[in-house]
Amino acid sequence: MERVYNFSAGPAMLPLEVLEKAQKELVTYQSSGMSVMEMSHRSKDYEAIINKTEATLREIMDIPDNYEVLFLQGGASLQFSMIPQNLMTKNKKIDVIDTGSWSAKAIVEARKFGEVNVVASSKKDTYSYIPEYKDSDFDKDADYVYICSNNTIYGTKFTDIPDTGDIPLIADMSSMILSEEIDVSKYGIIFAGAQKNMGPAGVTVVIIREDLIGHAPEGTPSMLDYKIHADTKSMFNTPPTYTIYMLGLVFDWIKEQGGIKEIERINKEKAGILYDYLDKSNMFKGTTAVKDRSLMNVTFVTGDAELDALFIKEAGEKGFVNLKGHRSVGGMRASIYNAMPIEGVKKLVEFMTEFEKRNA
Ligand SMILES: *Cc1c(COP(=O)(O)O)cnc(C)c1O
């Protein structure tokens, strides 16, 4: 069967070139005589793989030397707990901007460690925009300020990020990492689950400023302590070896495309094609505020649940799959991560145009 255009929010599409490279190396990796899956994580061959993966990520994201890159498990969701466990330790209070389920889940976990102040929220309008806030709203004594840079479910993203001064800014970038250029030095911690824009599920990348390591209180389980993972170079226990290898291939692919600058240009073009159509269409409507539109997750509706269902069904039959919106919001969502080729978006818009004509 031919490959489909997979608009899944995650696990999501991977670049075909990456899958083919992995296929070629699947049974025997270079001169090792074995699959990467069969290698000891302490072997020379594997050490070279993980080191190169980290080095390439540092290069494409331009990560400053005073940041550690960790490859952890437990998904982005474990970071909702691990961050407060390690950092809600001084004044035991934090500030959060609530932009939907993913920040809401982080709030639930952080409340187990202290006081969580929701500085701004767009909950009353089903999170269809990034709420207004002023940099002066942040509490100078907050242990950190927390945001979710791109809300995968509602399709919103921060275009400008808060200026929190000396308060560390922590960002969940699971659904937008590597999609556009960012200045790592503005953040205390950036974290992202792999399965949206970096590779298969199973690893979470944590980019953490050195001074934020080593604050876990006594009694913290070793697996939840950033210092232990940093000191052991993500090898405290067996890391998800094959997933990390796959990340390395994706990072190489990004470099081959011309780096994140070029990826960002393509992503803007891709999202632009879809949003331009939504703005013109009499049937389909974007659901988020124009100023806060995500480049990665494009959410839209027809306004008629039956028509939505018919569209999703017919699109699926044509090879445009996983267009159903998140179960909490309904409608449609086209996730167009880095690996979605521009033709996929163009062909989807062609199909939408045809569907609109036929059902007008
Ligand atoms: C998918 C996602 C998560 C959850 O990731 P898991 O790896 O399943 O824990 C968290 N935050 C955002 C923004 C996501 O898109």
Side-chain angles (χ1 to χ4, degrees), residues 302 304-315 332 355:
T302 63
D304 171 346
E306 267 176 43
L307 198 56
D308 286 354
L310 181 69
F311 171 76
I312 293 161
K313 179 174 166 285
E314 287 191 10
M332 279 75 73
F355 182 90

Side-chain angles (χ1 to χ4, degrees), residues 9-10 74-78 80 102 146 148-153 172-175 191-196 203-204 297 337:
S77 298
L78 184 59
F80 300 162
W102 295 120
Y146 182 97
C148 174
S149 302
N150 179 82
N151 195 298
T152 327
I153 293 173
D172 176 356
M173 294 199 184
S174 295
S175 52
F191 70 97
Q195 69 273 22
K196 313 289 167 54
V203 75
T204 305
N297 311 99
Y337 297 116

Side-chain angles (χ1 to χ4, degrees), residues 50-166:
I50 193 170
N51 288 343
K52 179 164 179 275
T53 300
E54 178 180 336
T56 313
L57 182 65
R58 284 185 175 278
E59 183 186 340
I60 58 180
M61 284 186 76
D62 198 13
I63 300 173
D65 289 342
N66 63 326
Y67 286 74
E68 291 277 349
V69 175
L70 308 176
F71 297 104
L72 306 182
Q73 296 181 70
S77 298
L78 184 59
Q79 294 309 306
F80 300 162
S81 307
M82 204 163 159
I83 292 162
Q85 169 82 40
N86 281 262
L87 292 170
M88 234 170 129
T89 49
K90 217 161 105 200
N91 297 321
K92 297 192 167 41
K93 54 178 179 177
I94 62 164
D95 284 348
V96 178
I97 299 176
D98 174 27
T99 53
S101 342
W102 295 120
S103 47
K105 285 186 170 166
I107 290 169
V108 168
E109 297 307 314
R111 288 213 161 113
K112 297 173 183 172
F113 295 85
E115 188 185 327
V116 177
N117 299 304
V118 178
V119 170
S121 172
S122 46
K123 186 173 183 178
K124 68 174 168 47
D125 297 305
T126 17
Y127 298 115
S128 57
Y129 55 86
I130 301 291
E132 294 290 325
Y133 61 89
K134 293 189 300 293
D135 291 333
S136 57
D137 294 341
F138 300 117
D139 180 349
K140 285 189 176 42
D141 293 328
D143 286 336
Y144 56 86
V145 172
Y146 182 97
I147 62 169
C148 174
S149 302
N150 179 82
N151 195 298
T152 327
I153 293 173
Y154 302 95
T156 57
K157 78 152 184 153
F158 281 83
T159 303
D160 299 315
I161 58 161
D163 180 356
T164 58
D166 291 335

Side-chain angles (χ1 to χ4, degrees), residues 63-358:
I63 300 173
D65 289 342
N66 63 326
Y67 286 74
E68 291 277 349
V69 175
L70 308 176
F71 297 104
L72 306 182
Q73 296 181 70
S77 298
L78 184 59
Q79 294 309 306
F80 300 162
S81 307
M82 204 163 159
I83 292 162
Q85 169 82 40
N86 281 262
L87 292 170
M88 234 170 129
T89 49
K90 217 161 105 200
N91 297 321
K92 297 192 167 41
K93 54 178 179 177
I94 62 164
D95 284 348
V96 178
I97 299 176
D98 174 27
T99 53
S101 342
W102 295 120
S103 47
K105 285 186 170 166
I107 290 169
V108 168
E109 297 307 314
R111 288 213 161 113
K112 297 173 183 172
F113 295 85
E115 188 185 327
V116 177
N117 299 304
V118 178
V119 170
S121 172
S122 46
K123 186 173 183 178
K124 68 174 168 47
D125 297 305
T126 17
Y127 298 115
S128 57
Y129 55 86
I130 301 291
E132 294 290 325
Y133 61 89
K134 293 189 300 293
D135 291 333
S136 57
D137 294 341
F138 300 117
D139 180 349
K140 285 189 176 42
D141 293 328
D143 286 336
Y144 56 86
V145 172
Y146 182 97
I147 62 169
C148 174
S149 302
N150 179 82
N151 195 298
T152 327
I153 293 173
Y154 302 95
T156 57
K157 78 152 184 153
F158 281 83
T159 303
D160 299 315
I161 58 161
D163 180 356
T164 58
D166 291 335
I167 317 166
L169 176 63
I170 295 186
D172 176 356
M173 294 199 184
S174 295
S175 52
M176 60 73 78
I177 193 162
L178 308 178
S179 68
E180 60 182 90
E181 288 188 301
I182 57 140
D183 181 352
V184 175
S185 73
K186 293 211 154 69
Y187 298 86
I189 297 179
I190 291 168
F191 70 97
Q195 69 273 22
K196 313 289 167 54
N197 224 359
M198 289 191 288
V203 75
T204 305
V205 170
V206 176
I207 302 166
I208 177 169
R209 212 172 60 211
E210 275 167 356
D211 63 286
L212 299 177
I213 297 172
H215 301 289
E218 217 169 296
T220 297
S222 302
M223 283 292 284
L224 300 184
D225 186 344
Y226 288 127
K227 184 162 184 348
I228 288 189
H229 291 292
D231 287 349
T232 57
K233 309 273 310 153
S234 305
M235 293 272 190
F236 175 65
N237 70 325
T238 318
T241 50
Y242 194 76
T243 304
I244 293 169
Y245 155 78
M246 287 294 290
L247 259 56
L249 297 187
V250 171
F251 299 160
D252 286 343
W253 177 83
I254 287 177
K255 252 177 86 170
E256 285 156 20
Q257 308 307 298
I260 295 182
K261 197 186 176 83
E262 177 62 11
I263 291 272
E264 176 175 348
R265 188 191 67 71
I266 299 166
N267 284 336
K268 284 183 172 155
E269 193 178 335
K270 270 158 47 182
I273 292 169
L274 204 39
Y275 285 124
D276 283 350
Y277 171 69
L278 291 174
D279 288 342
K280 284 194 312 230
S281 169
N282 292 316
M283 177 180 282
F284 298 102
K285 298 263 163 299
T287 55
T288 56
V290 172
K291 69 176 177 56
D292 300 322
R293 282 173 165 176
S294 168
L295 288 179
M296 297 283 99
N297 311 99
V298 179
T299 50
F300 55 99
V301 293
T302 63
D304 171 346
E306 267 176 43
L307 198 56
D308 286 354
L310 181 69
F311 171 76
I312 293 161
K313 179 174 166 285
E314 287 191 10
E317 288 162 6
K318 296 268 184 203
F320 307 104
V321 309
N322 288 320
L323 282 166
K324 199 166 188 293
H326 188 267
R327 58 189 186 280
S328 64
V329 289
M332 279 75 73
R333 169 177 54 177
S335 295
I336 48 173
Y337 297 116
N338 292 348
M340 173 61 67
I342 196 159
E343 306 82 70
V345 177
K346 285 184 178 160
K347 287 188 179 154
L348 174 64
V349 168
E350 272 171 38
F351 173 70
M352 290 169 79
T353 311
E354 186 266 320
F355 182 90
E356 180 170 352
K357 260 197 209 124
R358 195 153 38 82

